[in-house]
Amino acid sequence: MITGILLVVALTSASLYNPRGIFVDTNLNLYVADSENDRIQFFPPGQLNGITLAGTGAPGTIALLYPTAVVLDADGYLFIVDCYYHRIIGSSSNGFRCIAACSGADSTSSQLYYPLTLSFDSYGNIFVTDQDNHRIQKFLLSTNSCTVSYNQPKFSAYASWSSNAITFASIGTVGAAPYGIFVDVNNTVYVANQANSLIQVWLEGSNIPTRNITNGLYLPYSIFVTINGDIYVDNGNLNQRVDKWILNGTTSSSAMYVKQECFGIFVDINNNLYCSMYYVHQVATKSLNGNSSMWIVSAGTGCAGSASNQVYYPRGIFVDTDLNLYVAECGNNRVQLFQSGQVTAMTVAGDAAAGTISLYCPSGVVLDGNGYLFIVDSYHHRIVAQSPNGFRCIIGCSAVAGSTSSQLNNPSHLSFDSYGNIFVTDRDNSRVQKFILIPNTTY
């Protein structure tokens, strides 16, 4: 019996066009990498008509370009060699995403060039034939690969926070106009003190900074701390780089060279460093796994605009564990979602996204444990949040700038602690505010 009518070159359920890799599971189902049709086909036992599982003809999956191999893991999820996109795709209960070589064709250790086949070893590592680089690459399975360094509490649809904040740090401590903030899973708080060109660190329970990081910094905007304690700091204003301090280290090294300051910094679960370059209208990304100083553009064309492939004054950024990039776009009053590997975005909040919420220069964006957005709506002087019921204001809801404990004035960033409390850099009030989660509003 012949599966697929190979003599007919067409995009039908019964045809294939230059099929490459195949896989047969223990139930005798056949999976085919239908290369020229840019799809993965599934043929149940004895059937001549296939079902498209990924690629062209399967909306909501992932775009493929000449897939050449397909295998299943023990749970029945697909892993695909996406040859002409020079990457490896994996699937899970959360859908499809790029898992290896997600930055285009090249010969670095994190890239592939027309890969053909893949195979797992017993530890879950992936071996790939990297055709045009004339080599076999081994991608190691990351242990605890979804462990992140920041807090993502889960909230009920009706979660609320005290309308009156506690001032965590005032101008006498953080200086004028603090910008970036990061709270790690140990509830250590890091603040970018621009006025004094330093990063201040508070251990949980401390009322005064327990550490100051200042060597070589100039007007830092943003900060990110990884799970192993490495601290990445914007140093782009004068020095055009992102600096890295190791845990308890006293000196820094250059992690990434940039064109200008980074209004947002992020390190994803694959150890890629992101810099949101406000005045360049781009988000740049660099792998931290190799020695190359090169970075690629993950969002924006370098020209201000409102098209789906452009960003206009990007500020805060967030990358989820599926490697989707969220950008708070001040100039376009919107939050953009760039799905993994894509250079065009969809608007997920702002006037251009009907049924969401109006924004005015959003400057920070984070996701909670359920994948809902929390946004610093800077020029509206408030914090807005998404839930199953849609978007709503949760902090500073008069939308009027002020200095009382219930008001904000041009806030810039937010971060959760492990209890669900929200820390906000209240920039034009020159303070850091802490809004307490009202009990019994988390799951």
Side-chain angles (χ1 to χ4, degrees), residues 308-327:
S308 62
N309 66 336
Q310 293 179 301
V311 293
Y312 185 12
Y313 291 147
R315 291 194 176 186
I317 53 177
F318 188 93
V319 184
D320 66 23
T321 55
D322 291 321
L323 304 182
N324 299 307
L325 169 65
Y326 297 80
V327 181

Side-chain angles (χ1 to χ4, degrees), residues 283-316:
V283 178
T285 307
K286 176 188 177 293
S287 173
L288 298 173
N289 294 322
N291 296 320
S292 173
S293 62
M294 299 296 293
W295 50 261
I296 63 169
V297 176
S298 292
T301 63
C303 297
S306 59
S308 62
N309 66 336
Q310 293 179 301
V311 293
Y312 185 12
Y313 291 147
R315 291 194 176 186

Side-chain angles (χ1 to χ4, degrees), residues 109-373:
S109 62
S110 64
Q111 294 176 298
L112 299 169
Y113 197 8
Y114 293 116
L116 285 181
T117 58
L118 72 83
S119 189
F120 293 108
D121 67 15
S122 61
Y123 304 103
N125 305 312
I126 298 175
F127 289 76
V128 180
T129 51
D130 190 12
Q131 180 183 216
D132 280 20
N133 281 323
H134 311 291
R135 64 188 183 183
I136 306 296
Q137 293 293 87
K138 179 181 180 181
F139 293 90
L140 299 177
L141 176 67
S142 297
T143 56
N144 300 318
S145 59
C146 286
T147 299
V148 296
S149 59
Y150 45 88
N151 299 293
Q152 288 188 289
K154 292 185 177 182
F155 304 106
S156 77
Y158 304 99
S160 59
W161 287 259
S162 173
S163 60
N164 294 304
I166 298 168
T167 298
F168 177 79
S170 63
I171 188 172
T173 302
V174 294
Y179 197 85
I181 189 167
F182 187 94
V183 183
D184 71 15
V185 292
N186 297 313
N187 293 326
T188 301
V189 179
Y190 302 77
V191 175
N193 179 330
Q194 280 198 302
N196 297 302
S197 293
L198 58 85
I199 300 300
Q200 295 173 293
V201 184
W202 288 257
L203 296 177
E204 183 176 16
S206 176
N207 294 320
I208 59 173
T210 54
R211 181 184 179 189
N212 291 323
I213 299 172
T214 187
N215 185 29
L217 289 178
Y218 184 71
L219 299 179
Y221 271 92
S222 52
I223 184 169
F224 190 95
V225 183
T226 62
I227 196 68
N228 63 358
D230 291 340
I231 304 168
Y232 292 86
V233 181
D234 162 54
N235 197 10
N237 184 288
L238 182 66
N239 296 308
Q240 295 184 313
R241 65 178 188 253
V242 176
D243 288 341
K244 171 188 171 182
W245 274 262
I246 63 172
L247 181 65
N248 299 321
T250 57
T251 59
S252 67
S253 59
S254 297
M256 181 180 184
Y257 292 96
V258 294
K259 294 180 179 179
Q260 290 182 341
E261 54 264 63
C262 303
F263 276 57
I265 286 177
F266 204 94
V267 179
D268 70 22
I269 62 169
N270 283 352
N271 211 28
N272 296 306
L273 173 63
Y274 298 73
C275 164
S276 175
M277 295 184 289
Y278 183 79
Y279 297 108
V280 182
H281 312 294
Q282 285 182 328
V283 178
T285 307
K286 176 188 177 293
S287 173
L288 298 173
N289 294 322
N291 296 320
S292 173
S293 62
M294 299 296 293
W295 50 261
I296 63 169
V297 176
S298 292
T301 63
C303 297
S306 59
S308 62
N309 66 336
Q310 293 179 301
V311 293
Y312 185 12
Y313 291 147
R315 291 194 176 186
I317 53 177
F318 188 93
V319 184
D320 66 23
T321 55
D322 291 321
L323 304 182
N324 299 307
L325 169 65
Y326 297 80
V327 181
E329 225 187 306
C330 177
N332 282 320
N333 303 317
R334 66 187 185 184
V335 174
Q336 293 290 87
L337 165 60
F338 292 83
Q339 293 183 315
S340 179
Q342 302 299 308
V343 295
T344 58
M346 64 182 75
T347 304
V348 292
D351 289 337
T356 60
I357 196 167
S358 178
L359 301 173
Y360 188 18
C361 187
S363 61
V365 57
V366 301
L367 268 64
D368 71 7
N370 293 312
Y372 290 115
L373 296 170

Side-chain angles (χ1 to χ4, degrees), residues 62-64 78-82 87-91 96-100 118:
I62 195 166
L64 302 173
L78 296 172
F79 287 74
I80 303 163
V81 178
D82 195 9
R87 63 182 181 173
I88 307 300
I89 301 298
S91 66
F96 288 87
R97 64 184 175 98
C98 181
I99 59 169
L118 72 83

Side-chain angles (χ1 to χ4, degrees), residues 406-436:
S406 65
Q407 292 177 302
L408 299 169
N409 190 353
N410 189 20
S412 52
H413 275 244
L414 72 84
S415 191
F416 296 115
D417 68 15
S418 64
Y419 308 108
N421 305 314
I422 297 175
F423 288 74
V424 180
T425 41
D426 189 13
R427 185 166 172 78
D428 283 4
N429 282 321
S430 300
R431 64 189 182 183
V432 175
Q433 296 291 83
K434 179 181 178 181
F435 293 88
I436 304 296

